[in-house]
Amino acid sequence: MNNLSIERAALAEAGPVGAAIVRLSEASPGDRGAIVEVRADLAETDHGVDREELQRRLLEFGFVEGARIEVIHEGLFGHDPIAVRLDDMRVALRRRDADEVLFILDKPSA
């Protein structure tokens, strides 16, 4: 098991029972939840800026722990970029940048 798998397993144990923790880049339109972590060293993707700069930019946009998030749209080709509602604003970002944001999905309504 690699370090990322270990970290994701630890995060899953820390969340509520039955809750799924996913990368924002893996989410589909309609998925919503709360951000649990933003770390620019989670993925091996080249972002065009260094990892610390990417993490700073995401945090300045409001991608902070506890912020409410909902995926509202994705691009036609390659599903890139994605648009999210982040608390009370809308933000579009590339999937490779969204890969750095982990959030816990809300339980589906019964």
Side-chain angles (χ1 to χ4, degrees):
M1 192 182 299
N2 65 25
N3 288 343
L4 181 57
S5 299
I6 293 169
E7 285 182 24
R8 291 186 80 185
L11 283 171
E13 290 175 10
V17 176
I21 295 178
V22 298
R23 290 176 184 268
L24 182 55
S25 62
E26 298 169 351
S28 301
D31 287 350
R32 60 178 64 179
I35 295 175
V36 294
E37 185 174 18
V38 177
R39 279 198 24 215
D41 60 349
L42 290 176
E44 298 298 321
T45 309
D46 178 33
H47 296 281
V49 296
D50 64 29
R51 294 175 190 275
E52 293 79 21
E53 176 67 11
L54 174 62
Q55 185 171 347
R56 184 188 66 76
R57 288 179 184 184
L58 290 171
L59 293 171
E60 286 180 353
F61 267 122
F63 289 90
V64 295
E65 185 177 333
R68 298 291 305 160
I69 192 164
E70 177 186 4
V71 179
I72 54 177
H73 184 74
E74 56 187 19
L76 183 60
F77 300 107
H79 305 282
D80 202 18
I82 63 173
V84 298
R85 181 174 293 117
L86 183 62
D87 286 334
D88 60 348
M89 65 180 164
R90 292 186 176 110
V91 178
L93 69 161
R94 302 175 296 191
R95 278 203 186 265
R96 67 182 184 205
D97 295 340
D99 203 35
E100 310 302 340
V101 179
L102 295 174
F103 76 106
I104 188 164
L105 287 172
D106 289 345
K107 284 188 172 182
S109 55

